[in-house]
Amino acid sequence: MFSKVNSGGLRGVEGYRIEVEADVSDGLPSFSMVGYLAAEVKEAGDRVRTAIKNSGFHLYPRKVTINLSPADIRKDGTAFDLPIALAILGAYGIVDMRRYHDSAFLGELGLDGSIKGIRGVLPLALALQNEGVRQLFVPEDNLAEGLAAEAVSTVRAGSLKEVVTMLNDPDSIRPESGDVFHREKEESNCYTQDFSEVNGQKAVRRATEVAVAGRHNILYIGPPGSGKTMMASRIPTIMPSLSREEQIELSKIYSVCGMLPPGRTLIRNRPFRAPHHTISPAALIGGGKTPRPGEVSLASRGVLFLDELPEFQRQTLEILRQPLEERKVTIARVNATCDFPADFMLAAAANPCPCGHFPDRNKCSCSESQIRKYLGKISRPLLDRIDICVEAAPITYQDIRSESRNEPSEQIRARVEDAREIQKARFEGSSVYFNSEMGNREVKRFCVLGEDEDAYLKNVFMKMQLSARGYSRVLKVARTIADLDGSADIRRRHLAEAVGYRDLEDRYWGGRA
């Protein structure tokens, strides 16, 4: 007898439909599984047979063949345990699966028949919905993810015996309900940190605001303890709230990685990822035999913070160049080629020298060659993708003890959102969303200078020996500063501030443009 059950598999961060077919026939008792299966899927045979026995179902010894179709795509993960068990029970005539042609089943089986949580339910639910699935049975641990695909009727699956009982009595099936997005929307932007906690460093606060408003990458330079990490960790608190589409995109990535918080449906806050400088290239960019997202994808729509930037391996830093330009990562393997989102804002921090105290010669004894070698670990192509470079001065005792009320993140975020709205209207209908993404055509169109401003920038260009790329970067940052100022035109003061963010980089890296 033959039976077929719908399920789903993952390819990168996207799901696809899989049909689990079972055939029970006469012949020598055996159990075989085919369909280009990974080791954990092949092991499902032992789990399924034991779970069926311990759930109270008796199967006569027969020849059992399981096929996971399409057979030319490698299957991995443990989500196929439940559909395999149901396909076998359907082939034995214990449950009629023909009436559930528009239903799909996901879940890992314990030996006692319980159904355990799996990773990737959210992208699977969204993909199966597009494949015509109208009812989805998911483990209790993944119920919230299933509910996020609102067009799919989501059913809680507690155990194999419970699911079979429901399938044999369709009237007993009770789909769960809940408007997940609207229930959680009020809780967005709930951060434990705030800019009001940062004393002093007005210049760094301002540079951070400009960077977030135009989605410019930023580099903090300063001695240890000057607040570089403290400032960077609060960047998400001044970024606009995630839209529903962004929440779903992010949550799919975290679901595939098994990193969604327990009981949480969608990622609500902008991510802040700060990998250690010993991270491998594969962990940063993504990869593996079966490609998995890396830190650049986990930081998508948020911030990737690289502390102690010169301490990272040169090879690790260089692979960031493509994602910073294309906003995505393509991982090619023999089994599959996957595209992962990598639409993040880069924030980095570096000490000015190996000891961290340059140019204070009372504390710093590093030679010029040592400083040059240390900062030279950061390549020029990577620096060219960082628009703002700002110096964090040492914190004074007065700054630490100050009781003045600092501006909170909420007020800064309001200005950032206003600037983002200006950019949204400016680039409407194009593939550009932020000032930092402007190409030469957009720069010429939206960064027009008056005579006084043009003369000023010409003088700066000659004195600083700017390259064409450096010239363009100054204009992009100046455009963002003008947006924050509510000015339709770029004024000289806007250019002066943008040049200041460029001047610091030239001072430390010797003006190599």
Side-chain angles (χ1 to χ4, degrees), residues 216-479:
H216 302 282
N217 300 319
I218 185 171
L219 172 63
Y220 302 102
I221 299 180
S226 57
K228 302 187 296 295
T229 302
M230 185 179 187
M231 194 75 65
S233 64
R234 285 159 176 76
I235 291 178
T237 69
I238 63 174
M239 300 179 84
S241 301
L242 287 168
S243 66
R244 173 174 169 75
E245 291 73 21
E246 289 175 326
Q247 286 191 358
I248 290 177
E249 177 188 308
L250 262 178
S251 300
K252 286 168 62 177
I253 299 171
Y254 279 73
S255 177
V256 166
C257 296
M259 296 174 62
L260 274 181
R264 178 64 59 195
T265 306
L266 301 174
I267 297 294
R268 300 166 299 163
N269 294 334
R270 299 276 178 181
F272 178 82
R273 304 294 300 181
H276 192 262
H277 60 76
T278 57
I279 189 172
S280 67
L284 182 64
I285 208 74
K289 186 175 182 180
T290 300
R292 291 280 182 268
E295 288 291 334
V296 296
S297 297
L298 293 170
S300 194
R301 304 296 182 179
V303 181
L304 178 67
F305 177 54
L306 303 183
D307 200 4
E308 305 293 347
L309 187 64
E311 299 297 337
F312 282 79
Q313 297 179 26
R314 181 79 174 244
Q315 178 187 4
T316 303
L317 291 178
E318 292 307 298
I319 61 176
L320 286 174
R321 288 156 56 178
Q322 181 186 6
L324 285 171
E325 291 289 339
E326 300 182 1
R327 303 297 179 185
K328 68 176 183 178
V329 173
T330 300
I331 306 294
R333 294 293 182 268
V334 173
N335 297 324
T337 298
C338 301
D339 288 332
F340 297 124
D343 193 9
F344 59 89
M345 172 184 166
L346 176 65
N351 293 332
C353 67
C355 76
H357 295 290
F358 180 81
D360 186 355
R361 284 305 184 179
N362 292 324
K363 296 181 180 180
C364 176
S365 58
C366 300
S367 66
E368 185 177 342
S369 60
Q370 287 176 318
I371 297 173
R372 188 180 297 110
K373 181 180 179 181
Y374 179 75
L375 294 178
K377 295 178 181 178
I378 308 172
S379 71
R380 189 65 200 188
L382 181 61
L383 282 173
D384 280 341
R385 288 160 175 82
I386 298 176
D387 293 337
I388 294 177
C389 184
V390 62
E391 187 170 24
I395 296 295
T396 65
Y397 182 79
Q398 288 75 16
D399 289 333
I400 297 174
R401 296 293 298 169
S402 174
E403 296 183 1
S404 61
R405 187 175 180 179
N406 298 314
E407 190 175 28
S409 295
E410 185 177 1
Q411 293 182 15
I412 303 174
R413 184 169 62 247
R415 294 196 296 269
V416 169
E417 289 175 343
D418 290 342
R420 290 281 183 94
E421 286 299 318
I422 293 173
Q423 294 169 66
K424 182 179 179 181
R426 174 182 298 136
F427 303 123
E428 186 176 6
S430 71
S431 59
V432 177
Y433 297 97
F434 308 102
N435 288 334
S436 60
E437 298 175 349
M438 286 191 292
N440 290 335
R441 182 183 302 176
E442 289 80 19
V443 169
K444 290 180 180 179
R445 179 180 177 185
F446 300 115
C447 299
V448 179
L449 301 179
E451 292 185 8
D452 184 50
E453 288 76 19
D454 184 64
Y456 172 78
L457 190 55
K458 179 181 179 181
N459 187 43
V460 169
F461 185 90
M462 300 295 291
K463 286 187 176 180
M464 296 180 63
Q465 298 181 347
L466 294 178
S467 65
R469 183 181 284 115
Y471 168 83
S472 178
R473 287 168 56 192
V474 168
L475 284 177
K476 292 177 185 179
V477 175
R479 179 68 270 172

Side-chain angles (χ1 to χ4, degrees), residues 44-57 78 81-86 89 106-117 138-140 156-166:
D46 293 327
R47 291 193 299 270
V48 167
R49 284 178 292 181
T50 305
I52 289 176
K53 175 179 70 70
N54 290 333
S55 297
F57 302 108
T78 58
D81 290 10
L82 177 60
I84 289 173
L86 293 175
L89 293 174
L106 303 168
E108 175 186 337
L109 287 177
L111 297 183
D112 60 350
S114 61
I115 300 177
K116 302 180 179 180
V138 300
E140 185 172 357
R156 185 196 312 263
S159 67
L160 178 59
K161 186 173 183 179
E162 177 187 338
V163 172
V164 172
T165 301
M166 285 191 291

Side-chain angles (χ1 to χ4, degrees), residues 6 15-18 101 125-134:
N6 294 319
Y16 62 96
R17 182 174 177 172
I18 287 179
H101 60 88
L126 293 170
L128 290 171
Q129 168 190 326
N130 295 330
E131 291 284 343
V133 170
R134 294 294 172 261

Side-chain angles (χ1 to χ4, degrees), residues 187-229:
E187 303 175 13
S188 298
N189 281 336
C190 296
Y191 298 98
T192 58
Q193 299 174 322
D194 195 275
F195 261 89
S196 61
E197 302 163 347
V198 180
N199 291 336
Q201 301 293 12
K202 291 184 179 180
V204 182
R205 290 168 64 101
R206 168 63 176 177
T208 303
E209 179 181 338
V210 173
V212 175
R215 244 287 288 277
H216 302 282
N217 300 319
I218 185 171
L219 172 63
Y220 302 102
I221 299 180
S226 57
K228 302 187 296 295
T229 302

